[in-house]
Amino acid sequence: MFKRISDVRKENEVGATISLRGWIHRLRKQKEKTFIILRDDRGDIIQAVCPSSLCEELTIESSVEITGRLKKDSRALEGGYELKVDEILVFNIAATDYPIGEYQSDETLLDYRHLSLRTRKMINVGKLRGALLKYSRDWFGIEGWMEITPPLIVKGAVEGGATLFEVKYFDNTAYLSQSSQLYLESMIYSLGPVWTISPSFRAERSRTIRHLAEFSHLEAEIPWIGLSDLILIQENLIYNIISKIKLYNKKEVEFLNKDSLTKLEAISTPFERISYENAIDKLRSQEFIIKDEEDKKRFIEWGDDLNIESERELTKDMTSPIFVTDYPLEIKPFYVKQNPEDESTGLAVDLLAPYGFGEISGGGIREDDLSKLKKRMHQSKLNIEDYTWYLDLRKYGSVPHGGFGLGIERFLRWILNFDDIKDVTLFPRTMSRILP
Ligand code: 4AD
């Protein structure tokens, strides 16, 4: 029976004869001996030494089962074990033109992502992504939220028509979901606090380092909630995930970016809260300049949306995330509830990550008044017909409620201090990339 490399490390089997299955990650052939680094299906690696007579046909990425005696060797890579091989079973001899080597451009690695997933970097990214998803599930499970799966082929926009992907739906037109929010909203009436991690799609025409055309969207919705409690839920969830990463994924984070661990250690709660108005005042006091629609430069003012540059300016000297609340109603989507204490603002909240990373989550309290919601939908030029079902939620038993959406890739990009969101995505989808 073959073992995994992690089992070998756990069980002290020095001296025993064991078999391991995996792929030839590195290969150094000498006259008598051949040195192999074997990678198993969990991405762990171990050093193995074989008589060269057994290894003549081996190539990088050939799949094999190797059998031999386990030795402790403090000089050996990863864990200090080495296998002295005396038998090799070959599953497949890989072609000699394997395109991934030591040095490749980022573009080549993306072109061959189906193979570059086998690099140490992408193995660690994959493990960290998996851990992050698991810790999210654990948190919602313990807190008693119900996980749901929403439809992804939909009839209407949630986040504006400009980024909708159209699909042919039999003899009709439909769209790929930009956000599961409206469906989550429909579920709180009978399933209580609900959440999901589902793909969201945005036809983003901008080529930026923080936008994908398809991303993993963690969204949650809860009845009878106010803005301050919604903020606490997000803070609690995010801090909990980060604490677990620090506890259980130090190895992956350290491999991917040593600086990140120090930065994660510096995060503390409560995360700062600032109103949009105070954020604008702060930016104006720093003489922050934006370009208007005609490309003219001017100071930022109340009513301007916070874009990547203004978010960078606001967060560049911070070490923990910051919540920005009470945005002007007109720059937020139709579903945002008007602030009863100040009609020009909406009860929306965005979470901005520190060190200039900017928005990682967006949400707030939903407009629960039918006539106000209809008015906002008219102003947003939505086709009300496509939203009759959504309006029914306000017609039959409307309640105060709210929720948020957290971009998993944005979150991971910040945790790892990576520039480009594509680096934390296994198969990135952008305007210029749909393969592999
Ligand atoms: O701010 P957004 O557009 O809000 C919504 O979709 C709400 N309906 C969510 C809700 O309240 N349930 O998106 C939420 C988050 C952003 O903060 C960002 O992290 C991520 O989704 N996001 C993207 N991530 C990668 N690429 C894109 N193109 C993204 N667009 C949004």
Side-chain angles (χ1 to χ4, degrees), residues 2-3 19-25 27 36-41 48 50 54-55 57-67 85 87-94:
F2 70 97
K3 287 186 180 282
S19 298
L20 296 168
R21 284 184 182 180
W23 294 264
I24 308 289
H25 193 65
L27 186 65
I36 291 172
I37 301 290
L38 185 87
R39 186 189 72 247
D40 74 6
D41 62 354
C50 318
L54 292 180
C55 303
E57 54 170 2
L58 290 187
T59 53
I60 292 287
E61 288 305 318
S62 292
S63 43
V64 291
E65 176 176 302
I66 56 177
T67 302
V85 179
E87 207 183 318
I88 300 185
L89 174 76
V90 172
F91 291 98
N92 171 259
I93 292 294

Side-chain angles (χ1 to χ4, degrees), residues 214-260:
E214 176 181 349
F215 65 98
S216 307
H217 205 174
L218 183 161
E219 293 187 271
E221 199 69 29
I222 179 169
W224 290 294
I225 191 129
L227 200 61
S228 47
D229 284 338
L230 190 69
I231 286 176
L232 280 180
I233 289 172
Q234 291 192 65
E235 181 180 282
N236 202 317
L237 165 72
I238 286 167
Y239 193 69
N240 185 279
I241 293 174
I242 288 175
S243 304
K244 286 202 171 154
I245 287 178
K246 285 194 297 190
L247 202 59
Y248 303 115
N249 301 93
K250 228 175 163 158
K251 212 172 107 195
E252 289 88 10
V253 177
E254 210 160 26
F255 179 91
L256 291 164
N257 194 342
K258 275 210 170 70
D259 283 353
S260 295

Side-chain angles (χ1 to χ4, degrees), residues 49-113:
V49 191
C50 318
S52 287
S53 55
L54 292 180
C55 303
E56 270 159 25
E57 54 170 2
L58 290 187
T59 53
I60 292 287
E61 288 305 318
S62 292
S63 43
V64 291
E65 176 176 302
I66 56 177
T67 302
R69 224 154 39 84
L70 190 67
K71 265 181 54 184
K72 188 102 188 119
D73 184 343
S74 56
R75 293 162 307 171
L77 274 176
E78 296 250 334
Y81 292 100
E82 186 181 80
L83 198 70
K84 276 192 86 63
V85 179
D86 40 41
E87 207 183 318
I88 300 185
L89 174 76
V90 172
F91 291 98
N92 171 259
I93 292 294
T96 50
D97 59 353
Y98 186 65
I100 310 292
E102 300 253 329
Y103 305 101
Q104 251 92 37
S105 70
D106 291 345
E107 278 306 298
T108 307
L109 290 170
L110 282 168
D111 290 343
Y112 288 101
R113 195 43 136 321

Side-chain angles (χ1 to χ4, degrees), residues 164-168 173-176 203:
L164 274 178
F165 274 115
E166 204 174 289
V167 288
K168 191 169 162 6
T173 299
Y175 304 100
L176 296 181

